[in-house]
Amino acid sequence: MPPTNIKERLAFLRQELNHHAHLYYVEDNPIIADGEYDMLFQELLSLEKSFPQLISQDSPSQRVGSPALHSFAPIPHRHPMLSLENSFSDDDLRGFEDRLHRFLLDVDNFTYMAEPKLDGLAVELIYENGILSKAATRGNGQVGEDITANIKTIPVIPLRLQGAYPNLLEVRGEVFMGLAEFANLNTQRSKNGEALFANPRNAAAGSLRQLDSRITAQRPLDFFTYGISDPELLGAENQYNLLQSLQEFGLKINPLIRRCSSIDEVVDQYHHLMTSRADLPYDIDGMVVKVDNFALQQRLGNKARSPRWAIAAKFPAVQATTILEGVDFQVGRTGAITPVALLKPVAIAGVTVSRATLHNEDEIRRKDLHIGDTVLVQRAGDVIPEIVKAISSQRNGNEKAISMPTSCPVCLSELQRQEDKAVLRCINSQCPAQNLRRLIHFTSKAGLDIDGLGKKAMKQLYSEGLTQDIPAIYALKKEDLVHLEGWGEVSAQKAIRAIEKSKKTTLNRFLAALGIRHIGEVTAQLLEDTFKSLSALLEADSNSFLDIEGVGSQMAASLSTFLKDEGNRRTLQQLLDAGFVFSQARSKVSTHNLPLNGHVLLFTGKLSSLSRNEAKKKVKDRGGQVVSSLSKKVTHLICGEKAGSKLKKAEEMGIVILNEDEFQLLLQNDR
Ligand code: IVH
């Protein structure tokens, strides 16, 4: 038993150190010198070393990180972590208030909280009896990942609360990285020859999702809290008071939050934040507006994934001018040539931009771009930077026209324009650039998801001449990998095991992994349902593809070209010989009893709550059919953001049109 005075001394040191860390990091008002703090800290470390059984969860020594985990454990959220609906203008904000009034007819006037929307990662911190016991990412909103060890390394996050906290408190907030810290980190990484982070958000995400929290401890992360999972628990009447209480518990709240007594004030604050945003030491991508009163929040309730009582007022994209110095032409998996603008590096809202996508030749002509032009570039949130326009008044006559290549920049074969005229394509199926892209796709998450064979590894194996085609992956031996740069005994062994494991898959997944143009997961499933085995597919009459419901003419043509190619047939045979075994993805039950039987759905626009593929899978699991073009067969058009021309046509045809929320209801209600 350690002597009582040791226990007392340790408790004293912990309390002192936590208190001074709070004054230093949260209040920005230290009252002891750094040297004094270090001395107390050293004393704590040496006492804990002698009496490891006395190390407590809230000891500041826990902030240095602990050895690497194998994976993050799942943590279900007691209350779901919702997201927010977006608005983009003053009118949208007023529209938000109109909806509140329509919902709560008896309320004349709303008080709001306007809070900067930090561009970082949402996390939940669970305090049990005042001690930080668990921390989780948002995950899918229902279940997050256990990142406790990483969160503990963030100095502004208290390990122990102060004041009159409840027994259980689930704090929600945003972990982020400041702009100066981000720039420093990247400078350091560049010196060390490490890959740079694209923006502070990615840097924060990458740091927080480290399996080795000792690495997280080296990263300058910061945190603001903006709420708790269940406001009723604290008995606070409104968001404003809640934030005050959280601050009293020692948590950091954003100093730029404002309470507004009308929507006009909210709009003013939105403009104020938009203009002061450039001077802030961190990235914000908008302002969150919340109905302040919790009783009203309760009455307004939630929609499927977002509350009715809050909205995210996003800021318009940030722009800057720079010089278009050149154009690079990239070859994609299906041979499409994509022009990429090479820009004189320019900082846009704290992030250095040096490349922007140009999509295709039409886009270059439409924007009338020339090499040497001064161009306006914009970055909107996570979106890849894009060129808005050329500033023609800045031209001096030395600008050069951009000419599209006539031959493939990699294999030099002649390029062609096919049915989709905007796109230039390299049609040499043996083109090394396409080959590499196909290999990367095959092993990626969208393909067979072979652990250890990510993009970087595949590029390396390809340039080493080890995997020129897919069958070569299955001929790899541990000895081929062990001596390559960055590989070792363990990683090589793991990769070989993952390769072996990938041979047990479903025909559907395998076909989608091949990356045949127009043949995605959904069509692949239709092919599996129809042919059941790869050999049956290889023997099929290509005219029969069009008979499959859901397979259009482009898909059928692409599949038949692929299957007629001798090289491709050889590849498939080699893979069968390598020992691929296909199981059925799901037993082919009759779809008659399923809720979406008879529904034919077409998607348009971008969905925000799930990917297209997830959505398609959900529909198919419920017996529905998904098609890719508009026809009389279609029963429902599901519209995401930026729905295109399909929407107008579908309206004219009298097809049922559902937005994303209504689509979610269709999935739920029909069950
Ligand atoms: S409230 C149900 N307040 O924005 C309400 N969110 O889509 C949920 N965020 O990633 C969030 N600052 O982490 C709220 N002051 C703030 C916020 C904020 C940033 C993030 C949040 C989530 C996203 C909401």
Side-chain angles (χ1 to χ4, degrees), residues 88 274 277 285 314-320 348-349 377-381 383 386 388:
F88 297 94
M274 215 181 314
R277 149 186 212 205
D285 60 348
K314 295 296 223 35
F315 295 140
V318 269
Q319 302 182 327
I348 310 184
V377 181
Q378 75 174 19
R379 213 191 111 220
V383 183
E386 60 171 1
V388 182

Side-chain angles (χ1 to χ4, degrees), residues 9-15 17 38-50 54-56 58-62:
R9 181 69 189 164
L10 270 170
F12 168 79
L13 288 170
R14 277 199 296 267
Q15 196 192 351
L17 286 162
D38 290 343
M39 265 169 57
L40 293 173
F41 198 72
Q42 285 310 322
E43 185 185 345
L44 175 87
L45 289 184
S46 78
L47 278 180
E48 285 186 346
K49 202 169 168 197
S50 319
L54 294 182
I55 300 176
S56 67
D58 67 333
S59 170
S61 63
Q62 301 307 294

